[in-house]
Amino acid sequence: SPARPARPISRPVYPRISRRMGEEGGVTIDAQIRADGSTGTVRVRITSTYQRLDDAAVQAVQKTRFLSATRGGIPVPSIVTLTFTFRLDDE
């Protein structure tokens, strides 16, 4: 079975300066999930074009605890892909 968050992923913190500057966009993240459920390497697969938004998405994933993927009932490392959207009209 694939890896999945142990709890819903917290929404990334929308950087205040990004709000003030009208920055919006989607960020797609690839995250390595270790067999113990901890997060390994996290990288931006598709950028929002705004470094602050990309960094906020990466930080949200790094703080997340996962239930590891399993193969034959044995925990195994895996990669998950997650997408976050930053919209000024959200909230």
Side-chain angles (χ1 to χ4, degrees):
S1 66
R4 62 188 188 284
R7 292 186 300 269
I9 295 177
S10 297
R11 192 177 177 141
V13 175
Y14 209 131
R16 283 186 197 167
I17 191 164
S18 292
R19 283 188 177 280
R20 282 197 306 269
M21 297 182 75
E23 296 174 351
E24 295 183 305
V27 183
T28 300
I29 302 290
D30 284 336
Q32 173 194 32
I33 308 305
R34 297 181 184 115
D36 68 1
S38 63
T39 304
T41 303
V42 177
R43 72 174 186 85
V44 175
R45 175 188 270 193
I46 301 172
T47 181
S48 67
T49 70
Y50 298 105
Q51 187 68 49
R52 284 180 287 270
L53 299 182
D54 293 355
D55 290 348
V58 167
Q59 289 171 11
V61 174
Q62 287 173 330
K63 293 178 188 174
T64 302
R65 183 77 181 172
F66 287 81
L67 300 175
S68 62
T70 57
R71 190 174 301 127
I74 308 294
V76 294
S78 63
I79 302 289
V80 296
T81 301
L82 303 159
T83 299
F84 300 92
T85 302
F86 292 87
R87 286 195 187 102
L88 293 170
D89 60 358
D90 288 350
E91 294 181 22

